[in-house]
Amino acid sequence: MFDLFSGLDVWVGVSLVLALAFVLAFEFINGFHDTANAVATVIYTKAMSPYRAVILSGIFNFLGVLLGGVGVAYAIVHLLPVELLINVNTGHGLAMVFSLLAAAITWNLGTWYFGIPASSSHTLIGSILGVGLANALITDVPLADGINWGKAIDIGLSLIFSPLAGFLVAALLLIGLKWMYPLSKMHKTPETRRDVDEKKHPPFWNRLVLVISAMTVSFVHGSNDGQKGIGLIMLVLIGIVPTKFVLDLNSTTYQIERTRDAAIHLQQFYNRHSDTLGEMLALGKAGNAEMPDLYRCEPTQTEATLKGLLTDLHGVSSYNDLKDEERVQVRRYLLCLDDTAKKVGKLSDLPSREKADLEKLRKDLTSTTEYAPFWVIIAVALALGIGTMVGWKRVVLTVGEKIGKQGMTYAQGIAAQLTATAAIGMANIYSLPVSTTHVLSSGVAGTMVANRSGLQGNTVRNILMAWVLTLPVSIALSAGLFWLSSRFVG
């Protein structure tokens, strides 16, 4: 880990430390901001003591980050257009990272202070979009190309529909529980259980399900939200010390050969479909072997890019054998080829089997660029896990008592948590970031409606207001900060 500081100017080293501290601070805040939702029901229903719940939740968050992979991490990274990712320099990288992190942390702390279950996912994504749009304005790139709109739309839809699905599924699940077990003690609130049954804790099986579902929510939260921190750190490292992190320097000879083979097979794939792709990729036409203009990855440069990649990787058994500028160039080639392959994969003229083959080639191409060092994963896991153990009370009170007009029953807690686990788990499978906050709080709201408990207008209004305002505020904050900082580093 510490060798990343070797050869750096003092100011770059200090900036790197600050940037990493900002990311870990964001994940720490995310821990007590978002993860409080994961333990809100289990604490409110007195299935576990608060301190035992947050400690166990912190452990399961840690494990979630550790075992969750990097799919969601790079879904976040690729919100930025490929042109910005391939052309970032140290000064530009610092401005980008500090702007989006400062915006995200500011909004997260503000909403946490007022106990509003706002979404760290929305905040982070809005901050990244703001940087991309501001960069487009600064560099005279069309706004349509300022961010990866395809990825932004996919993520936006997942963030919009996951809480709606959470509301409906949790409501239906509660209705099902009431229909199957109408006389069960699971439909009592903690207060009723204490006053009528003179028992402090839920019935055994209800308590067991509440505890297990709370820990699974914590695990899937870690594997989803924790990856966002991993993606941020990789943005920091690639932006500030690119020569050491643009490629995975620990890649084996086999992995490099697989990347090279993928490029050869990609070349053959395009040649097989020259009738369909010839015009789009300018196949067979004279091209320049250099990278296209700054901030552009042109499909018409595909043949030249493939040739450049295969030339640079010829005889290479370790990325450490490449010069610094060659590593940067190889990453540029790989990102541009991946970007073009994504566009080709969306064409309706290609058979579905061919699209599946193309997707496999893309994974092989990016296997040594979409990675995270183990120390990055451990650092994020620790920040998120420790953050979980701090500052949980405000959001627990909101989720447990301030969404509905009546207290939450055990069945409502079970329904909301099982729904959140399923929704976030599905999002992890498809590498889509979702909001634990919105899924769980909307699930609680759905159970309140299904239970005819009513909703507290002020709380729901505050949550919806935060939902509506988070994206535009974080976009505006990060865009403004990026514009100001770019004036100093540009």
Side-chain angles (χ1 to χ4, degrees):
M1 171 186 174
F2 295 104
D3 62 343
L4 66 91
F5 294 99
S6 62
L8 294 183
D9 292 339
V10 173
W11 75 273
V12 175
V14 171
S15 300
L16 178 57
V17 170
L18 288 174
L20 293 175
F22 263 59
V23 176
L24 295 177
F26 173 81
E27 280 305 307
F28 179 82
I29 294 167
N30 189 7
F32 67 71
H33 188 280
D34 277 27
T35 315
N37 293 277
V39 295
T41 52
V42 79
I43 291 174
Y44 179 76
T45 56
K46 295 180 172 58
M48 293 183 79
S49 66
Y51 292 104
R52 185 177 299 168
V54 294
I55 289 171
L56 275 177
S57 181
I59 292 170
F60 276 90
N61 266 282
F62 179 90
L63 293 173
V65 179
L66 207 61
L67 303 174
V70 294
V72 174
Y74 280 92
I76 291 289
V77 170
H78 289 303
L79 273 173
L80 294 170
V82 66
E83 288 79 19
L84 180 55
L85 294 175
I86 66 173
N87 291 304
V88 72
N89 56 49
T90 298
H92 216 56
L94 284 171
M96 174 177 69
V97 168
F98 281 117
S99 300
L100 67 89
L101 285 174
I105 289 172
T106 299
W107 183 252
N108 262 3
L109 282 177
T111 51
W112 166 80
Y113 180 79
F114 291 103
I116 301 172
S119 167
S120 293
S121 301
H122 273 181
T123 306
L124 176 59
I125 289 164
S127 299
I128 292 175
L129 295 180
V131 165
L133 292 173
N135 178 74
L137 292 172
I138 292 168
T139 56
D140 295 324
V141 172
L143 286 179
D145 299 328
I147 57 174
N148 186 339
W149 287 106
K151 180 63 70 175
I153 290 170
D154 289 344
I155 292 174
L157 290 175
S158 75
L159 288 170
I160 291 170
F161 286 112
S162 56
L164 296 177
F167 182 95
L168 290 173
V169 172
L172 291 173
L173 186 54
L174 181 67
I175 291 170
L177 290 173
K178 290 177 71 108
W179 177 70
M180 289 189 292
Y181 308 104
L183 302 178
S184 172
K185 294 177 181 178
M186 73 170 67
H187 301 299
K188 292 183 177 181
T189 65
E191 290 75 16
T192 305
R193 173 83 167 159
R194 183 186 64 235
D195 296 340
V196 176
D197 299 340
E198 297 183 348
K199 297 288 182 69
K200 181 179 179 182
H201 301 296
F204 174 77
W205 289 109
N206 297 163
R207 187 177 184 183
L208 182 64
V209 174
L210 281 164
V211 170
I212 291 174
S213 59
M215 295 310 108
T216 53
V217 171
S218 298
F219 180 85
V220 294
H221 172 264
S223 61
N224 194 282
D225 275 38
Q227 287 192 55
K228 296 160 193 169
I230 293 171
L232 283 174
I233 288 186
M234 294 312 295
L235 272 179
V236 168
L237 296 175
I238 292 168
I240 299 176
V241 280
T243 57
K244 297 181 181 180
F245 292 96
V246 287
L247 299 172
D248 183 1
L249 298 183
N250 293 318
S251 298
T252 63
T253 302
Y254 168 75
Q255 288 174 307
I256 296 172
E257 288 177 351
R258 194 174 70 172
T259 300
R260 187 165 49 234
D261 289 344
I264 293 171
H265 288 300
L266 188 65
Q267 199 172 45
Q268 294 169 349
F269 178 93
Y270 289 151
N271 288 332
R272 282 200 311 273
H273 296 281
S274 57
D275 291 344
T276 303
L277 305 175
E279 189 65 31
M280 175 184 177
L281 304 181
L283 298 177
K285 297 180 181 179
N288 194 327
E290 298 298 323
M291 284 294 288
D293 292 339
L294 201 62
Y295 300 109
R296 303 296 301 172
C297 274
E298 297 289 353
T300 53
Q301 291 280 336
T302 296
E303 281 190 323
T305 305
L306 281 166
K307 180 181 177 182
L309 175 64
L310 292 172
T311 299
D312 282 359
L313 291 184
H314 179 70
V316 173
S317 58
S318 170
Y319 284 140
N320 289 289
D321 297 337
L322 295 174
K323 297 177 182 177
D324 290 351
E325 61 272 15
E326 288 175 335
R327 291 177 201 160
V328 174
Q329 188 74 323
V330 165
R331 181 173 184 270
R332 287 179 171 180
Y333 288 143
L334 290 171
L335 290 186
C336 282
L337 289 173
D338 180 58
D339 186 60
T340 298
K342 278 190 284 190
K343 294 173 182 175
V344 170
K346 294 177 182 177
L347 297 176
S348 57
D349 297 337
L350 286 179
S352 57
R353 288 181 61 184
E354 296 290 274
K355 289 183 179 180
D357 286 344
L358 187 61
E359 189 64 25
K360 292 174 185 174
L361 289 176
R362 282 188 55 219
K363 288 181 180 178
D364 283 345
L365 272 177
T366 58
S367 64
T368 58
T369 59
E370 295 189 359
Y371 76 101
F374 187 65
W375 67 265
V376 170
I377 297 171
I378 288 292
V380 171
L382 285 172
L384 189 66
I386 295 170
T388 302
M389 303 176 194
V390 180
W392 46 269
K393 290 185 180 179
R394 292 176 185 269
V395 176
V396 167
L397 182 64
T398 298
V399 172
E401 294 186 0
K402 293 186 178 180
I403 292 179
K405 290 183 178 179
Q406 299 176 20
M408 184 193 304
T409 66
Y410 305 129
Q412 286 176 269
I414 291 170
Q417 289 185 166
L418 290 177
T419 300
T421 299
I424 301 167
M426 287 294 292
N428 287 345
I429 292 173
Y430 293 101
S431 297
L432 290 171
V434 293
S435 168
T436 302
T437 303
H438 287 162
V439 173
L440 189 67
S441 58
S442 63
V444 171
T447 64
M448 290 294 176
V449 171
N451 201 44
R452 297 182 181 177
S453 303
L455 297 173
Q456 292 195 36
N458 287 338
T459 302
V460 173
R461 194 179 304 113
N462 287 339
I463 293 173
L464 289 175
M465 188 68 71
W467 191 15
V468 170
L469 290 180
T470 293
L471 273 178
V473 169
S474 54
I475 287 172
L477 273 174
S478 64
L481 289 171
F482 184 67
W483 180 80
L484 286 172
S485 55
S486 294
R487 291 173 66 95
F488 292 102
V489 301

